[in-house]
Amino acid sequence: MTMRTHHLQRPSSWWMYLIHRVSGLALALFLPLHFLVLGQALAGAAPLQTVLDLTRAPLVRTLEWAVVVALAAHLAAGLRVLCIEFFAWHALQKTLSTIAIAFTALFGLAYLLALIR
């Protein structure tokens, strides 16, 4: 086994750890932008409408979908950690990881379908 394939064969718990951290960072970066947009509502309807018009751009819609997927991934990975810590379900880590990934994929696909309608 080469060094390169060894790095790809990490346990599912490591991948879920990474997904949980990266999705948390993505959400932390998103929140200030979200509050900035909400703050535009305080300036009046016209500035808010200007910002909302930008959200119709394909790039912004793609980023919006990515944030929703990051939120679903962070939620699912966080629930997995809670199950392991509070219920001591250490033996079910692979199953919990699979459920978390399936939840994230399902949620992402559902939101994607809502976006393209």
Side-chain angles (χ1 to χ4, degrees):
M1 178 178 342
T2 67
M3 181 71 89
R4 185 179 177 103
T5 58
H6 176 69
H7 289 298
L8 296 176
Q9 296 177 351
R10 298 201 190 264
S12 62
S13 59
W14 186 87
W15 289 108
M16 290 307 299
Y17 164 84
L18 184 64
I19 288 169
H20 194 224
R21 298 310 182 266
V22 170
S23 63
L25 287 173
L27 293 171
L29 293 173
F30 164 74
L31 281 175
L33 294 172
H34 180 68
F35 291 135
L36 181 68
V37 170
L38 289 177
Q40 295 299 312
L42 298 174
L48 177 63
Q49 190 59 46
T50 302
V51 173
L52 291 178
D53 289 340
L54 292 174
T55 63
R56 291 186 181 89
L59 176 64
V60 176
R61 293 237 174 184
T62 303
L63 292 173
E64 180 183 351
W65 173 80
V67 166
V68 170
V69 170
L71 180 62
H74 197 71
L75 173 67
L79 289 174
R80 177 193 151 272
V81 170
L82 289 174
C83 288
I84 291 169
E85 289 181 358
F86 290 118
F87 301 120
W89 291 352
H90 299 284
L92 297 175
Q93 284 200 35
K94 281 188 175 183
T95 303
L96 292 172
S97 296
T98 303
I99 291 170
I101 291 169
F103 172 80
T104 302
L106 183 66
F107 205 81
L109 288 173
Y111 193 76
L112 183 63
L113 287 174
L115 272 179
I116 60 176
R117 284 188 180 207

